[in-house]
C-alpha cells in the first residue's frame, strides 16, 4: 500500500471545514438574531422548554437499547415498553428527534468474537427499526436525519461501536460502514491505547474520514485524543464525557482537553448518569454550564445513556424527561439559541462535517487495505 503520510495536512483544528462551503446551508447554526422566542418569556420554564424542543428536538448521542432488547422475548416499542427506558411514546414525550444506538460489547470480547457480536447487533438494530416504521427511521447522514424528522419519525443512527469491532483490518471497518455503522470509539485496543494511536490506528482514522464514520473519543487516553484531534479532518465527538472539574470521575474530561476539543470544533456529549454527572438535574446542568464556558456553546450536547444499566439523576429516569433538564437551563438564563445548539444544532454540524469530509476524501484517496500486521508488525 502506498505511503499515505504525505496526504496529511497539519490540522490543529478539525473544524477547519467550517471555512469551506456548507453543503446544507438550510441547516446553518442557529444564532440569537435568527432564532425567535417561541413563547412568552413570562411562561413557566418547563412550558418554554416544551416549545423550544418542538422546534429543536434532542439529538441523543448514546442509547443502549439494542443490547437491552436481546434479553427480551417480546417487546412493543411503538405502543410502549415498560421494561426498557426507551420507546416511541416516551421519545415523543421527551421531544427526541434523533438518537445514536450504541453497539458497545461486554468486556472480554475481542478478535473475531467482537466482530461477530457487532455484526449481530447491527442486524438486530436494523430489525428493530424496520419493526417500528411508524416511529423510527434509519439514518446515516445529516440529510437523512432531517428527512426523518420531517416525516415525524425519530432518526436512528448506528454507533458508537467499540474499536475491537474492526478486528485487524481496515477492510472490516468498511464493511461495518456499509451495514450502517456511523460512530467508532477509539479506545481499548492495541492501536488506540494509553500510548496513543499506532500507525494502524492513524490509518483507521483516515479511512473513517473517507467513509464518514465519526471518531468517538470518550474513554480514550489524552495521547489518543490529541492525536485524533490533529489527524482527523472531520469533527470528532466524546459520546459520554462530562466535566472533571465539576465531578472528578475518570471518564470525565479535564479543562485542558475540553478547551482543545472546543478549539477543534469537536463535541462533548454529557451523559445523564448519576455516576458521572451527579444525582440531580442541577448537577447535570452544572456540567453543561461548565463545558459551555470552557469549550464553547458549539461544543456541548447530550447523551441520555438510557438502557445502559446506569443509574440516572432523579427526574431524568427515561427518554421522556429531557424537558425537565431544558427547563433547568432556562431558569439559569440560557439563551434559546444556545439551547437549540445543545439539543440539535451541534450534532447536525458534526454530521454535516463528516458527510462533507467523506465526499472530499473519496475524490483523492482510494479505499485502504491496511492490516495491523502491515503497519504495526
Amino acid at each position: 500500500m502506498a505511503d499515505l503520510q504525505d496526504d496529511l495536512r497539519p490540522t490543529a483544528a478539525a473544524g477547519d471545514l467550517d471555512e469551506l462551503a456548507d453543503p446544507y446551508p438550510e441547516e446553518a447554526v442557529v444564532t440569537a438574531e435568527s432564532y425567535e422566542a417561541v413563547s412568552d418569556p413570562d411562561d413557566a420554564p418547563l412550558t418554554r422548554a416544551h416549545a423550544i424542543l418542538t422546534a429543536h428536538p434532542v439529538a441523543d448521542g448514546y442509547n443502549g437499547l439494542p443490547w437491552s432488547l436481546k434479553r427480551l422475548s417480546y417487546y412493543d416499542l411503538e405502543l410502549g415498553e415498560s421494561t426498557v427506558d426507551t420507546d416511541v411514546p416516551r421519545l415523543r414525550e421527551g421531544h427526541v428527534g434523533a438518537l445514536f444506538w450504541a453497539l458497545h460489547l461486554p468486556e472480554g470480547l475481542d478478535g473475531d468474537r467482537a466482530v461477530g457480536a457487532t455484526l449481530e447487533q447491527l442486524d438486530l438494530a436494523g430489525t428493530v427499526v424496520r419493526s417500528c416504521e411508524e416511529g423510527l427511521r434509519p439514518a446515516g447522514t445529516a440529510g437523512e436525519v432531517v428527512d426523518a424528522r420531517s416525516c415525524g419519525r425519530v432518526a436512528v443512527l448506528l454507533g458508537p461501536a467499540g474499536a475491537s469491532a474492526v478486528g485487524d483490518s481496515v477492510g472490516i471497518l468498511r464493511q461495518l460502514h456499509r451495514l450502517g455503522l456511523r460512530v467508532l470509539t477509539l479506545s481499548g485496543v492495541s492501536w488506540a491505547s494509553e500510548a496513543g494511536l499506532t500507525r494502524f490506528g492513524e490509518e483507521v482514522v483516515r479511512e473513517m474520514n473517507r467513509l464518514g464514520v465519526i471518531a468517538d473519543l470518550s474513554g480514550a487516553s489524552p495521547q489518543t485524543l490529541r492525536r485524533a484531534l490533529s489527524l482527523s479532518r472531520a469533527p470528532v465527538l466524546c459520546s459520554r464525557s462530562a466535566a472533571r472539574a465539576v465531578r472528578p470521575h475518570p471518564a470525565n474530561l479535564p479543562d485542558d482537553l475540553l478547551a482543545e476539543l472546543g478549539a477543534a470544533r469537536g463535541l462533548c456529549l454529557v451523559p445523564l448518569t448519576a455516576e458521572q454527572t451527579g444525582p440531580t438535574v442541577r448537577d447535570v446542568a452544572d456540567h453543561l454550564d461548565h463545558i459551555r464556558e470552557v469549550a464553547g456553546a458549539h461544543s456541548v450536547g447530550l447523551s441520555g445513556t438510557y438502557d445502559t444499566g446506569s443509574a440516572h439523576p432523579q427526574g431524568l429516569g427515561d427518554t421522556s424527561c429531557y424537558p425537565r433538564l431544558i427547563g433547568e437551563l432556562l431558569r439559569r438564563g440560557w439563551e434559546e439559541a444556545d439551547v437549540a445548539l445543545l439539543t440539535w444544532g451541534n450534532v447536525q454540524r458534526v454530521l454535516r462535517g463528516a458527510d462533507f469530509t467523506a465526499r472530499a476524501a473519496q475524490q483523492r484517496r482510494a479505499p485502504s487495505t491496511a492490516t495491523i500486521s502491515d503497519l504495526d508488525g
Side-chain angles (χ1 to χ4, degrees), residues 343-361:
T343 59
W344 185 258
N346 289 336
V347 168
Q348 275 294 95
R349 174 182 61 80
V350 170
L351 290 171
R352 291 197 310 269
D355 296 345
F356 190 32
T357 300
R359 286 196 296 273

Side-chain angles (χ1 to χ4, degrees), residues 110-122:
D110 54 18
D112 291 343
R113 294 175 63 204
V115 176
T118 302
L119 291 172
E120 289 178 356
Q121 284 205 80
L122 284 166

Side-chain angles (χ1 to χ4, degrees), residues 126 129-130 136-140 144-145 148 154-158:
V129 173
R130 287 191 297 272
L136 306 177
R137 175 171 290 191
E144 290 171 355
V145 169
V154 179
V156 175
L157 300 105
L158 300 183

